[in-house]
Amino acid sequence: MNKGQKFSTWYFLIALLLAWLFADYIYKPYMESRSEVPYSDFLAELESGAIAEVNLMDSRITYALKPTSVDKRPIVGGIILSNKPQSPAVKSVVRIPDPFLVERLLSADVAFSGIAEKSDLLDMLMGVLLPLLPLLIIWYLIFRNMRGGSGGGIFNFGRSRARELQGEMTGVHFKDLGGVGEAEVELREIIDFLKEPERYNKFGAKLPKGVLLVGPPGTGKTLLAKAAAGEAGVPFFFITGSSFVEMFVGVGAARVRDLFEQAKKKAPCIIFVDEIDAIGQSRAHTISSNSEQENTLNQLLAEMDGFNTNSGVVIMGATNRPEILDQALLRPGRFDRQIQVVLPTEEGRLEILKIHTASLPLDDSVDLKAIAKVTPGFSGADLANIANEAALLAVRRKAEKVSTTDFDLAIERVVAGLQRKTPLTPEVRRKVAYHETGHALVACFLPGTDPVHKVSIIPTAKGALGYTMQRSTEDQYLVGETELKSRMAVMLAGRAAELLVFSEPSTGASNDLERATETARRMVTEFGMSARLGPVRYAMPAMTYLSGASENRDDLGSDIMDLIDEEIRALVSEAQESAKGVLEEHEAVLHEVARVLQECEAITGSDIQDIIRRVEGVDPPDHNPDPLPIPEAAPTEQEAQGEPHGASC
Ligand code: ATP
């Protein structure tokens, strides 16, 4: 019997039961109540000897009449051949207190018996079971679904949300990833194992059960796991840590169980748990007890212990917060292999850009190498986004091909956000222009700073009223003290310009102050760059893997804390003074650049260099030229016809 037939049999039996209950407990009492007669009629019929049988109940009496001659009417083809109304064979009467009833029945020689009143049971059913019925139905549905009942739907809590894709169907291979060479090498072994487990089993070799991919967001961890499944040609189960844990207690653990059950059936395969920190958070460090998360984690640990890798299930997890993971997850036998997926290097960025622009019609001017050079710190996801934005911009301007300008604007969008159309008042525009010019000029004149690419006073959707875009050209692994100080001076140069020109600072520098102060704090407490405090670490170990943010140690004396504050203040003030000094020295350039900026709204780094040349009559310091200068705009119709144009923008 198949599943469908089994269900129909059940439905039929339930329907039969309901029909019986209805007939016996509802329809019959109802019909009886319709044939109700007065007690006096009952007594009269009893005395006349017309009654054959009596049933006594607590509240009513039913009785059957003896057959009369009328009932012996001829029947032809099921039709009674008489139009005389037939009296009901069974009658009912409300029982009134009658101490002589039994005597009457005996003297009338009538068979009688007492029976339990059925309406009592009906009342009980209605009164007790009916209110419970909705609860019973809900309980039944939840129970069925927690045990992995069929189908989806809102009650399908216990079922794992893992999307199963066939490995071949993920369609992802290592050739679709760029800049992950090292991670790829580490995964090769696991792929080989999934492809040919017998080779490994022959030597009794055991593979790591779990592989943890650790790295910043958007570096391609998910893509790597998919590529591993794609290369091995095995099914790929994808689930996010947060979807294990929902509002119902016990659901997370049930889902883990279900996921592993599904996976074992499809072995060899890869289970990928994204954001594993959502369930794998250290139990020791959680301040409030979250028993649901703990149950889920315990179930995961138990499941990982419960199978061996020879069964062909490999678990991969991804996180960008490895420091908060429970140690039990990281011990050998669980996620014992960690693979770092880092931000791509220049070479990696070039590979990623090639992958994401492969299907785009690129203009000859587009130099992917130059784009890779000016995008240090960008993740694979950022680069994919840039390629897509550039394509969208090209479509919007109805061009045939994607140009360097599209890429340039796309990078700007990713870094600064979309431009806002709200116009600034002339006074605010002037202040913003001087503020941004301050940043740009100090970046031009101080050594050890990144070249200025563009300055704009067009507000952005990220909330900035203007921005100065610098472009670092190298992946930075080490930064010297002088360089840090120069960076701080650039950060505070906007404020320095405001002080110089308007004699008072504005609120616009709050973010600059925050960044400069944080840099100074790290110089003092982490990098030992304060002569007065010496080469000592005063910061706690970094709490988060990526931000590097840390707090001061809590065992420091108040005198040390005061000294730290003093040193931070000295460094920040020194940076502001240094910026102010540069701007005072080049004040004429400051005013001219601010004027042009107010006129044009956005100017490039090379525009600024031109202005320096024009105003000071000397070449600006060329310590770090812009590696991807904004290309010259095509001449306008007016220019092409030799007409002069007003502004230099
Ligand atoms: P998160 O930590 O936020 O979950 P992730 O590291 O898992 O991110 P993915 O989801 O794998 O990142 O990547 C997001 C997108 O970025 C991919 O779909 C792909 O388009 C692009 N991408 C990221 N890294 C690479 C790479 N190395 N090569 C090619 N494309 C990449």
Side-chain angles (χ1 to χ4, degrees):
M1 192 186 286
N2 67 27
K3 209 171 173 182
Q5 285 171 327
K6 216 160 104 186
F7 267 111
S8 336
T9 315
W10 271 109
Y11 285 137
F12 178 70
L13 288 176
I14 290 169
L16 218 60
L17 183 76
L18 287 174
W20 174 72
L21 282 172
F22 178 78
D24 217 33
Y25 291 98
I26 297 177
Y27 182 72
K28 211 167 148 198
Y30 170 71
M31 290 311 287
E32 281 173 6
S33 70
R34 282 203 43 193
S35 58
E36 203 168 276
V37 293
Y39 197 70
S40 53
D41 284 10
F42 163 66
L43 290 182
E45 282 177 317
L46 190 66
E47 273 167 28
S48 68
I51 297 178
E53 190 189 344
V54 174
N55 286 324
L56 300 172
M57 285 170 269
D58 278 350
S59 63
R60 70 173 49 245
I61 298 168
T62 58
Y63 61 96
L65 296 177
K66 287 176 182 165
T68 62
S69 55
V70 175
D71 290 333
K72 293 175 186 134
R73 287 163 291 170
I75 298 172
V76 176
I79 301 167
I80 301 170
L81 298 178
S82 166
N83 56 4
K84 195 178 174 214
Q86 192 193 0
S87 53
V90 177
K91 290 186 181 179
S92 158
V93 63
V94 174
R95 185 172 178 172
I96 58 171
D98 181 354
F100 305 107
L101 179 62
V102 176
E103 267 177 45
R104 285 186 216 273
L105 292 169
L106 286 172
S107 61
D109 197 21
V110 169
F112 66 96
S113 55
I115 57 170
E117 208 150 5
K118 285 193 174 164
S119 58
D120 281 354
L121 182 63
L122 185 69
D123 284 351
M124 191 195 80
L125 274 175
M126 295 298 177
V128 179
L129 291 185
L130 218 57
L132 282 179
L133 202 64
L135 291 177
L136 288 173
I137 291 172
I138 292 172
W139 173 82
Y140 169 74
L141 288 172
I142 292 176
F143 182 73
R144 213 182 82 178
N145 284 287
M146 294 244 299
R147 290 178 59 205
S150 63
I154 54 163
F155 291 114
N156 208 3
F157 308 119
R159 200 124 170 102
S160 149
R161 294 270 168 95
R163 273 184 283 128
E164 186 209 322
L165 310 165
Q166 285 295 320
E168 301 81 16
M169 301 299 285
T170 60
V172 183
H173 292 270
F174 283 133
K175 66 173 171 42
D176 301 315
L177 273 102
V180 288
E182 286 167 31
E184 186 184 325
V185 170
E186 299 223 33
L187 281 175
R188 275 277 164 219
E189 193 182 41
I190 288 164
I191 294 165
D192 280 351
F193 171 81
L194 288 170
K195 268 184 177 165
E196 301 174 84
E198 323 77 49
R199 258 184 53 211
Y200 286 78
N201 291 342
K202 211 162 75 186
F203 288 92
K206 284 201 174 80
L207 263 199
K209 276 188 188 173
V211 179
L212 192 62
L213 302 171
V214 179
T219 41
K221 298 180 289 295
T222 311
L223 217 53
L224 252 176
K226 279 188 184 171
E231 293 284 333
V234 297
F236 179 75
F237 291 83
F238 174 94
I239 192 161
T240 57
S242 53
S243 63
F244 276 121
V245 188
E246 273 181 26
M247 55 184 172
F248 296 101
V249 175
V251 170
R255 282 195 178 150
V256 172
R257 247 192 325 269
D258 184 54
L259 170 65
F260 275 78
E261 257 168 42
Q262 282 186 50
K264 273 182 230 166
K265 281 185 212 150
K266 296 272 178 165
C269 65
I270 290 180
I271 297 178
F272 178 67
V273 188
D274 204 1
E275 308 161 21
I276 195 159
D277 41 277
I279 42 168
Q281 209 164 347
S282 168
R283 289 162 292 189
H285 291 131
T286 41
I287 300 163
S288 62
S289 127
N290 179 350
S291 56
E292 175 55 359
Q293 185 226 312
E294 273 185 36
N295 286 344
T296 311
L297 174 59
N298 288 339
Q299 186 64 40
L300 181 67
L301 299 177
E303 291 289 345
M304 289 187 82
D305 285 342
F307 73 96
N308 57 38
T309 37
N310 298 348
S311 68
V313 181
V314 172
I315 305 162
M316 294 175 99
T319 181
N320 33 49
R321 299 159 73 202
E323 76 284 352
I324 64 163
L325 288 183
D326 200 288
Q327 282 308 309
L329 256 187
L330 302 174
R331 77 148 171 76
R334 289 179 187 145
F335 284 99
D336 43 8
R337 182 163 299 185
Q338 282 199 21
I339 298 181
Q340 298 288 332
V341 189
V342 290
L343 285 171
T345 58
E346 190 178 323
E347 215 174 295
R349 292 196 296 275
L350 179 60
E351 283 173 26
I352 296 172
L353 281 169
K354 278 183 184 162
I355 290 166
H356 288 284
T357 54
S359 58
L360 301 183
L362 295 186
D363 193 290
D364 287 344
S365 66
V366 176
D367 181 359
L368 293 181
K369 258 190 183 166
I371 299 172
K373 196 167 175 61
V374 296
T375 44
F378 282 50
S379 66
D382 290 333
L383 296 168
N385 194 10
I386 285 172
N388 188 47
E389 280 288 337
L392 289 177
L393 285 166
V395 172
R396 207 163 305 157
R397 57 179 187 92
K398 299 193 171 69
E400 293 289 310
K401 292 189 169 176
V402 187
S403 70
T404 306
T405 318
D406 295 323
F407 274 98
D408 200 75
L409 288 173
I411 296 173
E412 205 175 313
R413 264 191 192 182
V414 170
V415 174
L418 286 175
Q419 293 183 350
R420 249 186 356 192
K421 293 282 170 245
T422 352
L424 300 177
T425 61
E427 190 46 34
V428 176
R429 256 171 86 90
R430 187 159 174 262
K431 280 196 173 163
V432 177
Y434 272 103
H435 183 104
E436 297 306 331
T437 307
H439 286 306
L441 287 191
V442 173
C444 278
F445 286 109
L446 277 188
T449 54
D450 295 326
V452 176
H453 179 69
K454 189 172 180 182
V455 186
S456 160
I457 55 167
I458 304 169
T460 70
K462 284 191 178 172
L465 296 178
Y467 56 89
T468 303
M469 243 177 96
Q470 287 173 268
R471 276 190 173 165
S472 47
T473 46
E474 285 164 20
D475 296 305
Q476 279 172 337
Y477 302 105
L478 278 180
V479 186
E481 188 176 344
T482 319
E483 209 174 322
L484 281 174
K485 284 185 173 173
S486 293
R487 282 188 195 178
M488 282 171 61
V490 175
M491 288 174 204
L492 292 166
R495 192 171 191 273
E498 287 177 27
L499 286 172
L500 197 70
V501 180
F502 306 104
S503 310
E504 63 164 14
S506 75
T507 53
S510 82
N511 180 256
D512 299 333
L513 283 175
E514 187 185 324
R515 287 189 305 137
T517 310
E518 180 57 18
T519 309
R521 200 180 65 75
R522 295 193 71 189
M523 285 171 74
V524 173
T525 61
E526 286 180 42
F527 310 139
M529 290 179 182
S530 154
R532 288 171 74 197
L533 281 156
V536 177
R537 183 178 173 106
Y538 296 98
M540 297 258 259
M543 287 303 288
T544 55
Y545 155 74
L546 290 171
S547 74
S550 59
E551 288 172 5
N552 284 351
R553 267 169 34 202
D554 46 17
D555 60 342
L556 300 178
S558 62
D559 50 339
I560 293 286
M561 300 276 257
D562 289 346
L563 202 53
I564 290 174
D565 284 342
E566 264 176 45
E567 286 293 272
I568 293 173
R569 203 176 311 128
L571 278 170
V572 176
S573 306
E574 186 192 321
Q576 184 176 287
E577 284 312 304
S578 145
K580 218 167 150 199
V582 172
L583 296 178
E584 275 168 350
E585 197 184 329
H586 304 278
E587 201 170 338
V589 181
L590 174 69
H591 292 302
E592 180 56 12
V593 173
R595 186 191 67 76
V596 175
L597 190 54
Q598 287 174 77
E599 207 172 296
C600 303
E601 287 199 318
I603 56 175
T604 65
S606 48
D607 290 336
I608 295 177
Q609 307 237 335
D610 287 346
I611 295 173
I612 295 172
R613 243 175 250 123
R614 181 154 52 81
V615 174
E616 296 191 343
V618 289
D619 273 345
D622 188 16
H623 53 262
N624 216 349
D626 186 353
L628 186 66
I630 294 174
E632 288 285 324
T636 62
E637 239 171 74
Q638 282 176 326
E639 286 171 313
Q641 288 161 11
E643 286 177 32
H645 59 97
S648 54
C649 32

